[in-house]
Each structure stands twice: as C-alpha cells, then as structure tokens.
Amino acid sequence: MSKSLHFFFLLLVVVQYSAFAQPSFYISVDFKFFENDKPLTPKEFDKKYIIINASKHKNKQPNYHFNPTNKTFSVGGSVVYNDLVIDIVQQKDTMQLVFKTKGGTRKQFAIEHLSFKEGTFFIEEEKLTRLDIQNSKSNYYNALLTSISDQTFQQKQNLLLKEINKQKLKYGIDDDDFLPKKEIELIEISGLKDHKILTTYRNYLVKKNFLDLPEHDRMENGKVIYAPDNRFKIFLFKGESCGANCHTFYNSFLHFNLDKKYPTVVETNFFPIDNIIQMDESNYIVFHSGYDGGGIYFEEHYVATIITLDKNKIKIGKFSLSNMHQSNKNESEIRITSRQSELEDGSPFGMKFNPQNKMVEYQYFIINQNTGDKRRYSGKLIYENGIFRWLSKSG
C-alpha cells in the first residue's frame, strides 16, 4: 500500500448498529497520525486531508483539537450505540477502527502512533502504542468469529452473520468453517488473476453446494464476462446435482471497482449472459437466459437486468413481484419464466431488445392449474435513465 503524500484521505466518524438504543455518551480518541514515520502538523493535515463528520452528510470540517506540544489530534462524537467506528479512507481504500466501548464504560482512547493500512481493526485497549497493522485481515475476521452466539444463527437478518458471510465470500471460506485464520490464509479472491479467480470460485462453490463432488454432481469451470467498457466483470458458474432427477442451477459473482487492488465483490444470480449493453456513462443492461430446476419443475428464463454504477457503489436491478403482468410500476429488471409443460406445444416465448429505440418486447404463457387453460401475456417497455418504463401490456 503506497503512502504517497499525493493521496487523498477522508476521516469519517460513524456509529455502528446495535439491537437496542442506549443513552448517548461522548467518546473521544486521541492519536498522532504518521506518514512515512513523520508526524503531521495541522497545516499538513488540512492541506492533504479532509475530515468528514458522517453524521452531517456534508463535506464540512468538524471541530477537532490539536495539541502542539505532543502533536496529538483529538476527534470525538456522541455515540448512541455500543461502539465508535472511525473510517480513514485513502482514495478507494479504507482503514476502519472499531473502538469497543463496552456499553459506555470506556469513553476515551489514545493511539500514540497511527499510520494508514487498509483493513479493519478492533481496539479493546484504551491506550495503545501502535496497531498490529501486520495482521489487519485476521484481526478483523477472528474478532467476528469470537462474537458469534447461538442466537446469531437464528436471526437471518443479523448484521454480524451477514458480515461473517461477506468475509467468507471474500476469502472463499466454506460456510461450515468457523475456525480462526492466520493472515497468510486470508487471500482475497478479487485480487487474483481471472483464471485463478475462476478456479478458486469453483472450489468454493463445490464446498458450498456439495458435501463432496460425487459422480453425478458437477460444477462447470465457469466463465468471465466483462462490461463493454471493462468497469465490471461477472464470473458465472453452472452446477448440476443429480438424485432421482438432475437439478440445474447457477452461481455468479460481480466484481467492480476494478482499479482497486482488491475490487469489490457482490454475489449475484445471473443466468448465462447473452449480452451486456452499455446505455450511458453509468447504466448497463445485462441480458441473460437459461434453464434451471429439474423434473416437472424445469423452467426457462429470459431476464433483462439494469446495472447502475455510481462512483464506488453499484445498484443491481431486482424485480420484486412474482408475475410481470401484475406490475404497473417502472422496473429495474424484466424477468419472464415458463415451465417446460407450458412450452410443450411450441408456443412462442421470449424477449427481444431493439437498441435503436431502446424498447424491450416480451411474451410468455401461464397455465391455469385448475382449468388447464393457457393464457398469453405480452408487453413493451422502453429504457429511460436507468429504468424500464411501461408502454403497453396485455394478458
């Protein structure tokens, strides 16, 4: 990680989530900030860095105190929940400091020598000489593991469980593996070359989907598809599990912020990708289609998904309703599905896109399970500014 003086730093003070609100209390943090082993003065700090108070949601300088005698900065804020979290951001890289306040019993922290290192650090001691920046990844991952309780696994929306699963995905760790890790074991998949990423993801998915890889189960090697301007890429895998019937399924991972040493990863649900069309500077349409399921539940899908890149964040379209014909709202994803039984008579089914007028047309059929009647649904939507707007529909 380069520590060039030309890098741009942001200091954000944010509050971590907790299950129940508590009375607010003030937490202060004193630290000397070093760059290349040189302590920074206020003039140097103000020239090269911006401190943002995240609670203000504005790029304004908050109040901080500098002690010229010992060259110490003091930053603080009121905390409503348990812990104080400070993020130091260097361009797109973040150093996160989590000060464990123990419910407000610790209200003042001090770090004698603080220098930038990407990663997250849990700070239990009220006074530290230095952080153990050589073990940033394992420090964070193992601290998460020690916070797990039986109740954690009973709450699907538990923030701790979500973060642990996010870390497991980042390093390709098996869902059932809860052993502490050494720093050397935590290798971020997104920082590898494409061929190595494909191999690592495949091994990860084999462990995730199968107890082992028996003769009748298989996970294909996978493919990588880039956006037209190379701002993101999608790793796509097809799996098949066979028992009485064979079940086909897909797993995918989208990487963006590709200019970072470790790009950001989002686990996605794409079928085989037919095309990615860039609509403007920020918006793309991913057209993907495929078969999944097995036996009597074998289904064919056609999907058009809008992806929006906004600075360092991404928004992936999602269609929330079960049936297209029930919706009158603007959509961020168009998804049509037909079961094999609905296609046996050769009824036309599908979706097409006209890049000249930016119009999507589709049609599909649904069989009434009570009467056996087949009903046709069709419609037209036009792409406008990151959404699909309805033009017409029938059925």
Side-chain angles (χ1 to χ4, degrees):
M1 180 70 64
S2 174
K3 299 180 180 177
S4 170
L5 293 178
H6 297 290
F7 280 152
F8 189 69
F9 283 71
L10 302 176
L11 183 63
L12 308 178
V13 181
V14 298
V15 180
Q16 201 177 40
Y17 291 104
S18 181
F20 300 98
Q22 301 174 7
S24 63
F25 46 88
Y26 190 84
I27 302 297
S28 64
V29 179
D30 300 333
F31 60 89
K32 293 180 183 178
F33 197 87
F34 286 75
E35 191 171 88
N36 297 325
D37 289 327
K38 174 187 175 184
L40 298 186
T41 66
K43 184 177 181 180
E44 292 170 329
F45 191 90
D46 292 339
K47 183 179 180 180
K48 303 181 180 86
Y49 312 123
I50 297 176
I51 302 177
I52 298 177
N53 189 332
S55 63
K56 301 292 185 181
H57 301 291
K58 294 180 181 179
N59 295 341
K60 291 185 178 180
Q61 295 281 100
N63 293 325
Y64 71 85
H65 175 73
F66 180 79
N67 186 327
T69 302
N70 56 21
K71 299 183 179 180
T72 300
F73 289 86
S74 296
V75 179
S78 295
V79 177
V80 179
Y81 300 100
N82 286 334
D83 303 327
L84 176 68
V85 182
I86 294 178
D87 288 349
I88 304 176
V89 182
Q90 180 185 34
Q91 290 190 335
K92 292 184 177 181
D93 297 323
T94 302
M95 178 183 194
Q96 185 176 79
L97 308 175
V98 181
F99 297 91
K100 307 295 290 184
T101 65
K102 297 296 182 182
T105 59
R106 299 173 183 172
K107 299 184 179 180
Q108 188 169 1
F109 296 84
I111 304 175
E112 293 183 12
H113 191 293
L114 180 62
S115 57
F116 185 88
K117 171 68 183 294
E118 184 182 18
T120 302
F121 304 84
F122 281 78
I123 300 171
E124 298 276 358
E125 298 84 0
E126 293 182 77
K127 293 185 179 180
L128 279 176
T129 302
R130 289 173 180 260
L131 296 181
D132 181 13
I133 63 174
Q134 299 303 317
N135 295 291
S136 59
K137 297 176 183 178
S138 58
N139 173 284
Y140 181 55
Y141 183 78
N142 295 332
L144 289 173
L145 293 183
T146 61
S147 302
I148 297 176
S149 67
D150 291 338
Q151 292 181 341
T152 302
F153 297 101
Q154 298 173 6
Q155 303 169 359
K156 294 183 179 180
Q157 300 303 316
N158 184 282
L159 295 175
L160 173 61
L161 184 58
K162 285 185 175 181
E163 181 61 20
I164 291 175
N165 290 335
K166 179 181 177 181
Q167 294 296 312
K168 287 179 176 290
L169 172 60
K170 178 187 292 186
Y171 303 118
I173 300 172
D174 185 9
D175 288 350
D176 296 327
D177 182 354
F178 289 93
L179 297 175
K181 301 299 177 186
K182 297 179 181 179
E183 191 78 4
I184 195 172
E185 297 178 274
L186 298 179
I187 300 174
E188 294 191 40
I189 296 175
S190 66
L192 304 174
K193 300 293 185 181
D194 282 355
H195 71 280
K196 184 63 176 178
I197 293 176
L198 287 167
T199 300
T200 305
Y201 273 146
R202 182 183 181 277
N203 293 337
Y204 167 75
L205 290 172
V206 167
K207 295 178 182 179
K208 182 181 180 70
N209 292 299
F210 314 112
L211 293 177
D212 49 27
L213 196 57
E215 180 182 357
H216 300 294
D217 293 338
R218 65 190 181 97
M219 180 66 64
E220 294 186 355
N221 291 330
K223 299 179 180 179
V224 57
I225 303 95
Y226 278 78
D229 58 357
N230 293 331
R231 289 184 67 193
F232 66 87
K233 55 185 176 181
I234 300 172
F235 294 87
L236 180 71
F237 297 84
K238 178 181 179 181
E240 187 175 73
S241 179
C242 294
N245 295 295
C246 287
H247 175 80
T248 301
F249 61 92
Y250 298 92
N251 295 111
S252 58
F253 308 90
L254 189 150
H255 291 208
F256 65 104
N257 288 333
L258 299 185
D259 56 336
K260 292 182 61 175
K261 181 179 180 180
Y262 298 107
T264 308
V265 178
V266 179
E267 193 163 7
T268 50
N269 295 289
F270 289 104
F271 294 101
I273 294 173
D274 304 311
N275 197 10
I276 300 177
I277 298 179
Q278 184 174 359
M279 304 305 295
D280 50 49
E281 184 177 352
S282 302
N283 293 286
Y284 308 77
I285 304 179
V286 180
F287 293 93
H288 49 119
S289 59
Y291 296 89
D292 68 356
I296 62 174
Y297 297 108
F298 196 68
E299 295 181 334
E300 183 179 6
H301 307 265
Y302 285 90
V303 190
T305 303
I306 296 175
I307 290 179
T308 302
L309 287 176
D310 183 11
K311 296 181 180 179
N312 300 334
K313 298 181 179 180
I314 194 167
K315 180 180 179 182
I316 302 174
K318 185 176 181 180
F319 186 66
S320 59
L321 298 176
S322 59
N323 294 312
M324 280 283 293
H325 61 276
Q326 294 178 349
S327 176
N328 290 310
K329 299 179 179 180
N330 295 326
E331 315 293 355
S332 58
E333 180 174 282
I334 305 171
R335 178 187 294 262
I336 60 173
T337 300
S338 281
R339 288 189 174 181
Q340 187 178 27
S341 60
E342 295 169 341
L343 300 173
E344 288 176 349
D345 62 358
S347 300
F349 162 72
M351 179 188 299
K352 61 181 180 179
F353 176 70
N354 186 329
Q356 278 69 45
N357 57 20
K358 301 181 180 180
M359 187 179 299
V360 177
E361 297 183 62
Y362 71 88
Q363 66 174 347
Y364 66 99
F365 299 84
I366 295 180
I367 295 178
N368 188 308
Q369 299 301 319
N370 296 322
T371 65
D373 295 334
K374 178 179 286 190
R375 187 170 182 178
R376 176 181 179 272
Y377 296 91
S378 64
K380 296 181 180 180
L381 301 94
I382 189 170
Y383 169 86
E384 289 182 347
N385 300 321
I387 60 170
F388 292 117
R389 181 172 62 82
W390 286 97
L391 294 178
S392 65
K393 66 170 67 176
S394 64

